[in-house]
Amino acid sequence: MQNFEKYTKGYFMPPESSLKWTQKESITEAPVWCSVDLRDGNQALVIPMNLEEKLEYFQLLVKLGFKEIEVGFPAASETEYDFLRALIEQNLIPEDVTIQVLTQSREHIIQKTFESLKGTNQAVVHLYNSTSVAQREQVFKKSKQEIIDIAVTGAKLLKKYAAETEGNFKFQYSPESFTGTEIDYALDICNQVLDIWQPSTDNPVIINLPATVSMSMPHVYASQIEYMSERLNYRDNIILSLHPHNDRGTGIADAELGLLAGGQRVEGTLFGNGERTGNVDIITLALNMYSHGIDPKLNFENIFEIIGIYERLTRMKVNERQPYTGKLVFAAFSGSHQDAIAKGMKYREDNDCEHWTVPYLLIDPKDIGREYDGDVIRINSQSGKGGIGYVLEQKYGLDLPAKMREDFGYRVKNVSDRQQKELMTDEIYAIFVEEYVNINTPVEFINYQFTQHDDFKTNVSIKMNEEIEELTGVGNGRFDAISDALQSRLGISYDNLVYTEHALEVGSKSQAISYIGITAPNGVRYWGCGIDIDIMTSSVKALFSAVNKMSNNE
């Protein structure tokens, strides 16, 4: 690409090494979650939510388990003010949920913010001002000290109006555009704000360090967080919060490494909705932790319900490849993947496994309301015999012999390739029935009767060319006798007969299914299947099906 030389890094590494986080293997507990869907998320929508929609979204967030929810910027618009008042006046805020409101460092805005909070039990008042080099030079045209003065003035005003307003208020400060700010300068601003607020054990303060614009690789953000965490005043009485955006596609990595580096709280949105490429996706973050055996303290057990509400209220769509939640994220089309998943599931059944280790599936799809049928094994021209057989077994209880699975797999793939589409489960079953089950041309099975002396003897009634015929066969068993009758009448021969059968466990349990494979003189194997309430009759129908397939192909 051209013009690459006009770009340079806009971030600042800490002046001293901050790499202790690299010695940690994993996150060990869930952070405090704060949803900013109703502020950052809502302001990024083409059509922002109206009052009723925001009320419904708030109730969804409560149901999912969020204990801190940023409800908006009440001094910015009447819609946001009215929404906050509706929450308070209609008693919609549970006692264990804290709402958060945003304010700039301007007195009339801070005053209206506290007016909007009258009657609430508890709230976080979130003060912010932008501190980056680009914002200072290009937008505000102010010196470092003038930017500090804005933050300090706002901190004093929050303390003043909180003292004059009934309720329990926690303060939060964000040096907005933190990632583009000199780290020592960001530390100085935060510490000056903290000196005004004087956090204590009973009254902690939130310091929020946002990647307002993601500018660096995730390890840089982690180093910035660790540097701040180790040098902030009153550290034991501070809740260090992260607010990653996703400009570089690293929002999740920024949050995870930031938590290793000292972060204790995460602000984000469902599905990562937000300005530009969005905020960090809390669902992905939480389920990443879940996949490591950590309780995320949020409930995503019915993901389709959540998606439905989210898409209806935001008019946004969840991408098919969105981690955990997209329609295709558990889907396996590749034959080798399908085979591994099917064998992994079978291994779990046989070994009563304590932990989830199924190949290609990071978590059990059922834990978030997904189904194996239709969600995991998806059939198209790239699919393999293992996956196709697995679909039949899970949905219809059919346990095909291995070689028959291979034969059927090729037939299904050919249909999918010819039609250029994915095949649904019912379509796959229809192909199976058409290709193998109770095939009755050119010879239709009617009935049979056995007698036994030294050998088994059978009389078989068939229909061929629209006429009923009686055949006689002899063998060392009933099945062998029927086979002898068929070969004699049709003038054919075959060997290497393979036979399996089982009860159908899905649908009517009184039915039996049999599978038979025969090998023609030219070495081609033909498969047939029979289904009947009588196990012997089902095996006879399977034999007729295989013989008919061979006859039709000669």
Side-chain angles (χ1 to χ4, degrees), residues 84-233:
L84 175 54
R85 294 311 307 162
L87 289 175
I88 295 170
E89 293 167 9
Q90 296 178 32
N91 295 316
L92 296 176
I93 307 170
E95 289 185 3
D96 63 344
V97 172
T98 301
I99 57 170
Q100 178 170 301
V101 293
L102 197 66
T103 181
Q104 294 172 336
S105 183
R106 301 167 68 183
E107 184 164 10
H108 71 284
I109 291 177
I110 292 172
Q111 181 180 16
K112 188 169 183 179
T113 298
F114 277 94
E115 288 176 0
S116 73
L117 289 169
K118 288 180 179 179
T120 188
N121 292 325
Q122 54 195 10
V124 173
V125 183
H126 181 185
L127 172 72
Y128 76 96
N129 68 303
S130 198
T131 60
S132 69
V133 175
Q135 293 271 13
R136 294 196 315 260
E137 294 179 350
Q138 301 173 37
V139 180
F140 299 107
K141 302 185 186 303
K142 291 184 181 296
S143 67
K144 285 184 175 183
Q145 185 57 51
E146 288 174 313
I147 295 296
I148 290 175
D149 291 343
I150 292 172
V152 167
T153 298
K156 292 177 179 178
L157 288 169
L158 255 65
K159 196 170 183 178
K160 171 180 180 293
Y161 281 98
E164 298 171 357
T165 307
E166 185 177 353
N168 297 313
F169 302 108
K170 183 185 292 183
F171 297 152
Q172 174 172 324
Y173 176 68
S174 291
E176 193 207 358
S177 60
F178 164 75
T179 46
T181 304
E182 305 92 325
I183 302 304
D184 274 353
Y185 177 57
L187 179 65
D188 186 22
I189 296 175
C190 290
N191 279 334
Q192 291 200 42
V193 168
L194 289 169
D195 285 341
I196 294 166
W197 285 343
Q198 294 288 309
S200 64
T201 302
D202 296 331
N203 188 28
V205 163
I206 301 169
I207 293 295
N208 187 55
L209 302 176
T212 308
V213 178
S214 177
M215 295 180 168
S216 67
M217 294 174 68
H219 75 286
V220 173
Y221 184 61
S223 295
Q224 293 168 336
I225 298 301
E226 183 174 277
Y227 184 86
M228 295 286 289
S229 177
E230 293 186 340
R231 290 164 177 79
L232 283 166
N233 296 337

Side-chain angles (χ1 to χ4, degrees), residues 484-499:
D484 175 64
L486 274 176
Q487 291 184 78
S488 298
R489 171 61 181 86
L490 298 176
I492 61 173
S493 64
Y494 51 81
D495 56 14
N496 296 327
L497 190 144
V498 177
Y499 168 72

Side-chain angles (χ1 to χ4, degrees), residues 454-473:
D454 293 334
D455 290 323
F456 278 90
K457 181 179 180 181
T458 183
N459 295 316
V460 186
S461 300
I462 67 168
K463 184 177 182 180
M464 189 171 180
N465 299 323
E466 301 299 322
E467 294 184 1
I468 303 296
E469 297 185 31
E470 297 292 331
L471 308 181
T472 300

Side-chain angles (χ1 to χ4, degrees), residues 436-483:
Y436 302 102
V437 179
N438 297 350
I439 298 173
N440 56 17
T441 57
V443 184
E444 181 179 353
F445 167 72
I446 304 297
N447 206 342
Y448 63 88
Q449 184 177 11
F450 290 107
T451 59
Q452 183 179 6
H453 298 290
D454 293 334
D455 290 323
F456 278 90
K457 181 179 180 181
T458 183
N459 295 316
V460 186
S461 300
I462 67 168
K463 184 177 182 180
M464 189 171 180
N465 299 323
E466 301 299 322
E467 294 184 1
I468 303 296
E469 297 185 31
E470 297 292 331
L471 308 181
T472 300
V474 178
N476 56 16
R478 292 182 293 180
F479 197 77
D480 190 45
I482 292 177
S483 180

Side-chain angles (χ1 to χ4, degrees), residues 235-473:
R235 182 63 184 92
D236 290 344
N237 300 319
I238 291 171
I239 300 167
L240 190 59
S241 179
L242 313 175
H243 184 113
H245 280 245
N246 200 40
D247 302 87
R248 290 170 51 90
T250 59
I252 297 296
D254 287 341
E256 291 184 328
L257 298 190
L259 288 172
L260 290 181
Q264 300 158 288
R265 179 178 184 268
V266 174
E267 295 186 345
T269 60
L270 300 182
F271 307 103
N273 179 39
E275 294 279 18
R276 307 179 308 279
T277 56
N279 289 53
V280 69
D281 176 9
I282 284 182
I283 296 178
T284 299
L285 262 179
L287 291 178
N288 279 355
M289 295 177 194
Y290 182 74
S291 74
H292 284 179
I294 299 167
D295 182 359
K297 308 297 185 182
L298 294 172
N299 184 354
F300 300 120
E301 291 178 359
N302 192 346
I303 202 65
F304 287 123
E305 179 185 8
I306 300 167
I307 291 171
I309 296 172
Y310 170 82
E311 292 189 338
R312 173 168 54 81
L313 296 180
T314 66
R315 302 162 186 86
M316 299 281 286
K317 293 295 181 183
V318 175
N319 188 276
E320 290 180 336
R321 298 295 182 187
Q322 184 91 358
Y324 299 105
T325 56
K327 289 181 179 179
L328 297 179
V329 296
F330 292 110
F333 292 99
S334 161
S336 61
H337 289 205
Q338 292 174 345
D339 183 61
I341 291 171
K343 289 176 178 175
M345 298 296 287
K346 177 66 172 164
Y347 182 86
R348 283 186 61 79
E349 292 176 9
D350 295 343
N351 293 276
D352 190 26
C353 300
E354 178 183 1
H355 296 109
W356 180 264
T357 58
V358 174
Y360 297 111
L361 298 181
L362 184 60
I363 67 169
D364 186 346
K366 287 195 172 184
D367 287 350
I368 57 173
R370 308 289 294 263
E371 294 296 330
Y372 302 137
D373 171 41
D375 269 342
V376 177
I377 304 295
R378 304 281 292 267
I379 305 302
N380 64 13
S381 60
Q382 305 302 307
S383 303
K385 61 182 184 297
I388 294 168
Y390 180 79
V391 166
L392 287 182
E393 184 173 2
Q394 290 295 306
K395 184 68 178 287
Y396 300 102
L398 306 182
D399 186 11
L400 278 60
K403 289 296 183 181
M404 189 179 187
R405 285 192 180 200
E406 183 175 347
D407 184 77
F408 181 51
Y410 285 120
R411 296 177 188 277
V412 171
K413 290 168 66 173
N414 287 339
V415 172
S416 177
D417 193 35
R418 189 168 60 249
Q419 297 182 4
Q420 290 292 294
K421 71 168 193 173
E422 178 187 358
L423 297 177
M424 299 297 102
T425 306
D426 57 344
E427 294 176 296
I428 296 167
Y429 181 70
I431 296 170
F432 177 77
V433 171
E434 181 182 357
E435 288 286 339
Y436 302 102
V437 179
N438 297 350
I439 298 173
N440 56 17
T441 57
V443 184
E444 181 179 353
F445 167 72
I446 304 297
N447 206 342
Y448 63 88
Q449 184 177 11
F450 290 107
T451 59
Q452 183 179 6
H453 298 290
D454 293 334
D455 290 323
F456 278 90
K457 181 179 180 181
T458 183
N459 295 316
V460 186
S461 300
I462 67 168
K463 184 177 182 180
M464 189 171 180
N465 299 323
E466 301 299 322
E467 294 184 1
I468 303 296
E469 297 185 31
E470 297 292 331
L471 308 181
T472 300

